[in-house]
Amino acid sequence: MDPAPSQVQGLYDRLGVVIATRDRRDTLARTLDRLLALPERPRVLVVDNASTDGTADMVAHRFPAVQVLRLPVNRGALARNDGVRALHTPYIAFSDDDSWWEPGALAKAVDLLAAHPRTGLLAAGIAVGPDGRPDPLNSVLATSPLGDGAVPHSRKVLGFLGCAAVARRQAYLDVGGYHPLLFFGAEETLLAYDLAAAGWDVVHCPEVVARHSPAGGPDGSAPDAPRPGRRALIRRNELLIAWLRRPLPVALRRTAALCAEAVRDAQARRAARGLLPRLPAALRLRRPLPPAVEEAARLVEGTAR
């Protein structure tokens, strides 16, 4: 049974913030300053993806109130799974080393999740940069064709931004969290599919606000560094998701389109080279979506018939 509704202060035993990071020491320090200043006083856990710049030692020395989980290898988005398992709060918020939460947002999220026990994940509204401009994703989520969620002023969605989400720990662990085949890139879509398939609602709630100052991410990119191959990685993972969860004709058609594009496009070739060795595992782990969730996925893609 969920805890009683929260006050703004005192979420330490009810909500933890998981941050997956790699070689982002200075950016992470600024984010931790902001998170530790929140009136909610959540737990904060940093999962260090085998950084080589002293990130874990910096956290241990400068932020003794923050838990540190040191991973021996870079696990990409799967580091978030390690963080969720390490915490035992009923609710988990996610930040990146370049994102944090507005004061009061986490208390609001806990109250909403406690009041709506079938809601598994809240996708927050996102304010970007020092001026807090709305992220374009906000409009995409707010106009989702899936209808209103049970949470007031929310919309049902099948996607979210990983650093702007608050999850019910039970729901997250019930579906296994982020999928090991993807490593990093488009992993939120697959998690949203799996939550919906298991009967959990995923909703966009603009009243819960995360702040984001993007410059790289937990896949190991350095601040402001170019991210070579990112488009190919996303394309590869989108195809893997199709093979893992979507009908075979959908997966086959999209794979054929990628192979045709690869004849003339280097990024498509890179995506295809990444896809092919992972296809046997995708087929082995394949679990098609229930019909209602597949129909919702088609609606979101604009392909419903």
Side-chain angles (χ1 to χ4, degrees), residues 4-297:
S6 69
Q7 302 299 316
V8 171
Q9 294 189 342
L11 287 185
Y12 189 81
D13 293 326
R14 303 181 66 198
L15 180 139
V17 179
V18 169
I19 304 175
T21 188
R22 176 175 167 84
D23 292 336
R24 300 287 303 281
R25 181 181 59 194
D26 295 340
T27 301
L28 174 64
R30 291 190 290 271
T31 291
L32 291 177
D33 282 332
R34 292 177 171 108
L35 290 173
L36 294 178
L38 290 175
E40 293 98 322
R41 301 176 186 170
R43 292 177 189 256
V44 180
L45 170 65
V46 170
V47 187
D48 182 51
N49 260 327
S51 291
T52 60
D53 67 347
T55 289
D57 289 339
M58 180 278 293
V59 176
H61 292 137
R62 288 184 54 184
F63 301 96
V66 174
Q67 297 172 250
V68 183
L69 180 59
R70 302 173 188 242
L71 300 184
V73 296
N74 181 6
R75 283 174 44 78
L78 298 181
R80 295 177 181 139
N81 296 353
D82 296 310
V84 173
R85 284 191 292 265
L87 289 175
H88 296 283
T89 54
Y91 309 109
I92 305 289
F94 295 96
S95 290
D96 282 350
D97 40 41
D98 57 8
S99 73
W100 56 96
W101 294 88
E102 287 279 11
L106 296 180
K108 178 71 172 178
V110 166
D111 287 346
L112 292 172
L113 287 167
H116 300 279
R118 292 311 303 169
T119 299
L121 185 142
L122 294 178
I126 308 155
V128 179
D131 56 349
R133 66 186 183 278
D135 190 293
L137 181 61
N138 292 345
S139 296
V140 174
L141 297 177
T143 56
S144 166
L146 303 184
D148 294 336
V151 172
H153 314 298
S154 73
R155 297 288 288 183
K156 294 179 182 178
V157 294
L158 283 178
F160 58 95
L161 184 65
C163 67
V166 184
R168 189 182 305 275
R169 183 175 185 269
Q170 175 191 347
Y172 187 97
L173 293 179
D174 278 353
V175 301
Y178 288 112
H179 199 283
L181 195 57
L182 301 189
F183 185 75
F184 183 80
E187 69 273 8
E188 299 95 339
T189 298
L190 183 52
L191 178 56
Y193 283 174
D194 288 348
L195 286 166
W200 296 101
D201 288 339
V202 180
V203 301
H204 171 56
C205 183
E207 296 177 359
V208 176
V209 179
R211 298 297 297 260
H212 191 205
S213 182
D219 61 335
S221 300
D224 301 318
R227 305 173 76 177
R230 176 63 187 266
R231 184 165 67 89
L233 180 66
I234 296 296
R235 187 80 178 274
R236 180 200 79 183
N237 284 355
E238 288 173 346
L239 266 294
L240 286 172
I241 292 169
W243 284 102
L244 285 162
R245 298 291 183 263
R246 305 300 299 278
L248 284 175
V250 172
L252 287 166
R253 182 171 64 250
R254 294 181 182 179
T255 302
L258 174 67
C259 292
E261 189 178 337
V263 174
R264 62 185 184 279
D265 182 81
Q267 289 294 319
R269 285 194 295 276
R270 185 168 181 170
R273 285 197 300 266
L275 172 68
L276 293 177
R278 291 169 175 81
L279 272 181
L283 291 170
R284 187 171 65 252
L285 299 170
R286 180 173 167 77
R287 192 172 70 245
L289 296 174
V293 182
E294 171 59 27
E295 179 62 20

